[in-house]
Amino acid sequence: MTDMNDNSSATNRRYANSASSAQIHSFPTGKSASAAKANHKQVTFNRTELDAILRIYGFKVASGEWRDYAIDHLKDRAVFSIFRRSSEMPMFYVEKDPALTRKQGMYKVVAASGHIMKRGHELQQVLKVLEKPLKVVSK
């Protein structure tokens, strides 16, 4: 009987601790939900952009060149990273940076070395650099 009471008191303490931690980490309710969303906007890839990127990605995975990817949506840009193996650095990444829309174009493909392979205003044109097959230089 005492074991049962000990377990129930431990459970009650756990619930009491979680309730107090919920109060500590609660968010202020002074702002409306729409105002909170406006402050925390992230740059994301839309459906057509992801379709274009994933189409090329699918072909490269089928040919055995690429194996993994990661998508990061940050405050100022969205990044689609392409990996040969998941434990490595990305081979390439496709970046969408709306701050560069009126300058060099918001899309760019960057190699692992940091070299910008292609940059432009249209994603389809920028992704063509990834579609090119590798050429054999000498046998």
Side-chain angles (χ1 to χ4, degrees):
M1 288 279 192
T2 58
D3 291 336
M4 227 177 185
N5 290 335
D6 289 338
N7 288 339
S8 64
S9 64
T11 304
N12 290 338
R13 277 181 283 173
R14 194 174 328 135
Y15 287 129
N17 287 339
S18 66
S20 63
S21 65
Q23 292 171 355
I24 293 171
H25 298 292
S26 64
F27 294 103
T29 57
K31 295 182 180 179
S32 67
S34 62
K37 284 183 183 179
N39 290 337
H40 298 292
K41 281 197 171 188
Q42 291 180 335
V43 177
T44 60
F45 290 109
N46 63 30
R47 176 75 180 222
T48 56
E49 294 166 340
L50 276 177
D51 285 344
I53 295 169
L54 290 173
R55 183 184 59 79
I56 293 172
Y57 177 79
F59 286 127
K60 296 290 188 169
V61 167
S63 68
E65 292 181 47
W66 299 345
R67 294 211 176 180
D68 201 4
Y69 71 91
I71 300 175
D72 297 312
H73 294 143
L74 307 170
K75 276 189 172 182
D76 58 339
R77 65 182 191 238
V79 181
F80 186 96
S81 303
I82 300 163
F83 298 88
R84 183 174 313 211
R85 291 179 194 86
S86 59
S87 62
E88 295 181 350
M89 296 283 293
M91 293 172 47
F92 305 103
Y93 62 89
V94 179
E95 184 175 311
K96 176 183 178 181
D97 189 353
L100 299 175
T101 301
R102 294 182 180 229
K103 296 179 182 175
Q104 303 138 342
M106 81 166 102
Y107 302 106
K108 66 181 172 183
V109 175
V110 182
S113 63
H115 175 75
I116 298 174
M117 298 173 63
K118 186 137 182 165
R119 171 181 286 176
H121 296 282
E122 295 180 17
L123 183 62
Q124 296 291 343
Q125 295 298 319
V126 173
L127 291 177
K128 284 185 179 181
V129 74
L130 295 175
E131 291 178 356
K132 294 180 183 177
L134 299 174
K135 297 178 184 177
V136 177
V137 177
S138 64
K139 285 189 175 182

